[in-house]
Each structure stands twice: as structure tokens, then as C-alpha cells.
Amino acid sequence: MQNYSEKTFKNLKTDAPAGPSAALQVGLFCFFVMTRAIHPTIIDASKSVDPETGKKYFAYGEMTVVLGETVVTLIVAQMMALALGGMKEWKAIWDPKPMKVFSFIGFVYAIGDFLEMASMGSLGGAAYQVLLQSKLLITALMMMAIKGTKQTSLQWNILLLVMLSMCVYMIGGSDSSEGGGGIPIMGVINVLLKVTVSCFCAVLSDKYMKDFKNEPIYMQLVQFKCAWCATILMLSFVDGKTWQNGFFTGWNGVTVGVLTSFTVKGWSTMYLLAILDSVLKNIGEATSVLVIYFMQVFLPAFEDKFEIPKFLSVMVVILSVTAYVGSKSVVEKATKYDKEHGQKEAGKEHGLGAASRALWWRFRQPMWGCEMMYSISDVFVASMSF
């Protein structure tokens, strides 16, 4: 009879730990969609209406809710560090190395919050969320500039479709906008700046949160929020409203809801993005546009009415974003197929060897309507395999 010991299965590969169940992913996806939909909707609902002009405005200081959220997060996150890790973990928060990195990211995030509230002053919740989809184009441009990642012609066409569908929505809804019957240009500019800042922060956060992955998220939140809070505090002194009129002037129950929304969004973003993949995240962001639209149609706080053209323009935005997100896997599979099968066939008619065919194949790949250009070092490294 065969005897087994602990050494028998020493080198046996174990299965990778199972991810969250399908039911859990669906639940988290729905929660993600709702947090993304409720946030701009409740900010929009917190506006007051000027009885003379009929325009909507913030009766409270825009920076008060953002500043309040940073204070709440700082307190709660430090309490979690003390409760779960004791004084040792609390002291580790102030380690200069991660603190310097996350403080800079927190400073940039604070600028993004300022731009968000500035844009929401002249835009409705649905328009704001629609314009946020421009992050796909801005991210593509950033990746091309920073990492040299190229988009295929299919992806550029879909990105163009996304941008055009956004324009159709904004033009179609301009008659009922808060900007007095036209497209609020400054609101659109502020959203685009906000998206640019968010994309930049996302790249930095993804890199450095992995570098300091041994730190719990609540510790990183404290490191984010220190500079975040200081930046918002400085901005609040120059907005001509927060301290001049009184910090809590204009606050009501809905304003407390805005504060809560900022807090829930900040915490859930950190935790959910570690569980949901990027495809579900982007689809969730797009789906929230439709949820916001129906909220503004059916909730009594808004005067919007259901309109077929506007509904269809929202659907075009959602479907074009979904198509772009889905195209990534198709492009990757096509690229892999071309590399595997193209190198085998390329150059056979010329009697070239495997290494020569690989080099020849690289120079034959079309991009941007012309032949790809590779550096001298690429050619040199490839030639070493002859």
C-alpha cells in the first residue's frame, strides 16, 4: 500500500483562491451603480431656486460638504486604525515615505472635488454623469502619451461615437438647462478638467496603492485626506462664501445627504474597485446615467419630464460606452491571434528562419495608416536571435 507523507504533495499546485461569487458581484455592481447615480442626483437636489431668475444655485458653501467629508473620514479611519491595529498601526500612518506619496495624490483629488462642485453648480446630475464618460477618451490619450499604448481604428471610432453621443445629449437638453437656455460652457469645461484630474489620480493611486499594498485601506485614506483636507480648507477661504456667510449657512437635511454621499462614495470607491474588475466598473458608470435620468423624471424634487429623444440619447451614450469597454478583449484576442499565426506565415515565401520572420513581421505591422517605426535598440535586440 502506498504511503503518503507531507512531502508527497509538496510541489503540487493548488487552485487559485476563488473570487467573489456571482451573486456577490451582482450585488456589489448594483451598489456601485446606485452610489454613482445618487451622488450627482442628491447634489443637484440640494440646489435652491432663485425666485427672480428661476436659476438653480447652491445656498450653502460648496466647499463645506467636501471639507466636512474629509474631517469625518479622517476621524473614522484613525479610529479604525486604533481599534484594529492599536497604537502601533496608528503610528505607522505617519510614516514619511507613503505619507509624501499619498499627500500629493490627495492634493490633486481635492482639486477634483473643487471642480466637481463648480461644474455641478451649472449642470444637472444626468448631464454631469454623461460628460464624465469623456474619461474614456482622456484615459486613451494619457495612456498613449505615458505608456505608448495605441488604440485601434475600431476603438477610435467607438470613442468618437461616445463623444458625439455626449454632444447630442448636451445639445438636446440645453433648452432646459440651468444655464439660461444654452449649454453651460464653464460647467462643461470644469467637468472635463475634473475628468482629467481624476484620470491622473487613478493612474497614480493604482501604482502606489500596489506599492504600499501591505497598508490597510483605512490607513491610506488618512494619508490621502490630510493634504486633501488642508487643500479644501485653503480653497474655502477664497471662495467668498464658506466663511464669509457662515460655515453652516444654507444647510438642511438634503445638504447632510450630500455630505453622506461624499463619504459613502469615497469609502466605497476604495473597497469596491479592489473587488470589481475594470469592465464592470466602466459599465456601472455608464449605467448610472440611465438611473439618474429616471430619478430626475420620477422624483418630485425635479421638474424633468420623460422625453423620447432625451431617453434615446442617454441609451446611445450607455451602449457606445459598453461597446468600447467590450472591444478591449476583442482587440487583445485579435492581436494575440495575429502575432501567433502571422509570425508563422510571415516570410515563409522568402525562405526566412523563425527569428528573421519575427523581425520581418514586426516591421510589417500597420499602425496609423503607415508602417510601424521601431527604435535601433529594438532592431539590435531582435538581430541577436539570428
Side-chain angles (χ1 to χ4, degrees):
M1 182 175 180
Q2 178 69 43
N3 293 323
Y4 297 101
S5 67
E6 59 184 13
K7 295 182 179 180
T8 305
F9 304 102
K10 181 179 179 181
N11 298 321
L12 182 65
K13 293 183 179 180
T14 58
D15 293 335
S21 64
L24 178 59
Q25 287 200 45
V26 170
L28 292 174
F29 175 78
C30 294
F31 178 75
F32 180 80
V33 171
M34 291 308 298
T35 56
R36 288 301 183 273
I38 291 174
H39 184 65
T41 302
I42 198 169
I43 293 176
D44 197 14
S46 69
K47 296 177 186 176
S48 301
V49 180
D50 189 323
E52 296 182 359
T53 62
K55 293 183 180 179
K56 291 185 177 182
Y57 70 101
F58 291 115
Y60 58 91
E62 294 94 324
M63 293 296 98
T64 58
V65 289
V66 182
L67 186 59
E69 180 273 327
T70 59
V71 173
V72 169
T73 298
L74 280 171
I75 294 173
V76 173
Q78 289 185 77
M79 290 176 63
M80 288 181 65
L82 288 169
L84 299 176
M87 187 59 67
K88 181 180 179 181
E89 190 167 83
W90 182 82
K91 289 181 179 179
I93 293 174
W94 315 105
D95 182 359
K97 188 175 181 180
M99 179 61 77
K100 287 188 293 186
V101 172
F102 291 124
S103 291
F104 173 72
I105 301 174
F107 163 75
V108 183
Y109 266 125
I111 302 299
D113 279 351
F114 173 79
L115 293 169
E116 177 179 351
M117 294 304 291
S119 62
M120 284 295 296
S122 56
L123 291 172
Y128 172 79
Q129 195 69 16
V130 165
L131 289 172
L132 280 187
Q133 306 313 308
S134 61
K135 69 181 182 294
L136 298 174
L137 175 62
I138 293 175
T139 301
L141 293 174
M142 280 188 174
M143 294 296 287
M144 185 172 65
I146 296 173
K147 293 186 175 182
T149 305
K150 305 291 186 180
Q151 302 287 309
T152 65
S153 58
L154 170 64
Q155 290 173 309
W156 282 120
N157 282 330
I158 300 177
L159 283 175
L160 180 60
L161 176 61
V162 173
M163 300 305 294
L164 290 177
S165 62
M166 287 166 46
C167 294
V168 169
Y169 178 87
M170 292 302 299
I171 294 172
S174 63
D175 291 338
S176 58
S177 68
E178 290 90 339
I183 298 176
I185 300 300
M186 283 309 301
V188 174
I189 293 174
N190 284 329
V191 173
L192 296 179
L193 290 174
K194 151 75 176 174
V195 171
T196 304
V197 166
S198 296
C199 292
F200 177 66
C201 288
V203 173
L204 293 179
S205 298
D206 182 65
K207 171 179 170 52
Y208 289 107
M209 288 183 76
K210 289 178 180 177
D211 290 346
F212 298 100
K213 60 184 178 182
N214 293 328
E215 284 191 349
I217 290 179
Y218 51 81
M219 287 180 60
Q220 295 177 345
L221 277 172
V222 177
Q223 294 161 347
F224 274 124
K225 293 296 179 177
C226 286
W228 202 323
C229 182
T231 304
I232 294 297
L233 182 61
M234 288 188 290
L235 290 172
S236 69
F237 282 110
V238 298
D239 68 355
K241 195 174 183 179
T242 300
W243 304 104
Q244 290 81 349
N245 298 340
F247 189 88
F248 291 105
T249 299
W251 273 56
N252 55 27
V254 183
T255 314
V256 176
V258 175
L259 170 62
T260 305
S261 178
F262 265 106
T263 306
V264 172
K265 180 189 174 188
W267 282 81
S268 64
T269 296
M270 292 294 182
Y271 282 97
L272 287 179
L273 295 188
I275 302 174
L276 295 178
D277 60 32
S278 59
V279 173
L280 286 177
K281 173 183 174 294
N282 285 307
I283 294 176
E285 291 270 10
T287 306
S288 65
V289 177
L290 185 61
V291 178
I292 294 172
Y293 176 70
F294 281 122
M295 283 183 174
Q296 292 184 333
V297 169
F298 294 110
L299 291 179
F302 302 97
E303 299 178 354
D304 297 48
K305 296 181 180 179
F306 182 80
E307 299 173 358
I308 294 295
K310 200 169 184 179
F311 169 74
L312 292 177
S313 64
V314 169
M315 291 304 300
V316 171
V317 172
I318 295 172
L319 294 175
S320 56
V321 170
T322 305
Y324 176 77
V325 174
S327 69
K328 182 179 178 181
S329 61
V330 176
V331 170
E332 288 176 348
K333 290 177 181 177
T335 303
K336 183 179 180 181
Y337 179 87
D338 287 345
K339 286 182 178 179
E340 290 179 351
H341 294 269
Q343 288 187 16
K344 293 178 181 179
E345 301 298 329
K348 279 186 176 180
E349 64 275 17
H350 300 293
L352 299 178
S356 302
R357 292 202 305 270
L359 181 60
W360 181 85
W361 175 253
R362 292 188 69 186
F363 276 95
R364 291 292 297 172
Q365 297 303 300
M367 183 66 70
W368 308 103
C370 59
E371 300 296 324
M372 290 185 71
M373 300 301 293
Y374 284 88
S375 64
I376 295 176
S377 60
D378 279 330
V379 179
F380 176 77
V381 171
S383 65
M384 294 292 288
S385 62
F386 277 78

